[in-house]
Amino acid sequence: MSSSCPLSGLKPGSCGTVESIHLELSDAFRLRELGFLPGTIIRLVRRAPLGDPIEVEIGGAHLALRQKDAALIQVRTDSDA
């Protein structure tokens, strides 16, 4: 069974599939250029000591995202995994 949550809600080491991005147009465009496309698998690698930013792995690349931006990226997770 799968469920949907914001990227910021994943636990370190968890994976999800990008469903949608609800950022402003220019920010969303830049993330799409970096590989944040619907259907792409993303993994939350770790959080900074104070929780912001977070490190994610997408398409073999490791990127840092602000917590507030990660909260606007919707991912689908498999609750059986």
Side-chain angles (χ1 to χ4, degrees):
M1 184 170 173
S2 63
S3 62
S4 186
C5 71
L7 175 57
S8 61
L10 290 181
K11 294 179 182 172
S14 298
C15 293
T17 304
V18 175
E19 283 191 325
S20 58
I21 300 173
H22 302 285
L23 291 159
E24 293 199 20
L25 191 59
S26 61
D27 293 333
F29 181 77
R30 179 68 180 138
L31 287 178
R32 286 187 181 97
E33 286 182 325
L34 293 170
F36 286 78
L37 299 168
T40 303
I41 295 173
I42 189 167
R43 181 173 69 97
L44 194 142
V45 177
R46 64 182 161 198
R47 296 179 187 279
L50 296 177
D52 199 11
I54 63 171
E55 179 184 351
V56 297
E57 180 182 8
I58 188 164
H62 287 249
L63 305 167
L65 285 178
R66 294 178 292 210
Q67 183 75 14
K68 70 176 194 159
D69 292 339
L72 297 173
I73 299 170
Q74 201 67 22
V75 296
R76 187 177 63 250
T77 60
D78 186 357
S79 58
D80 293 336

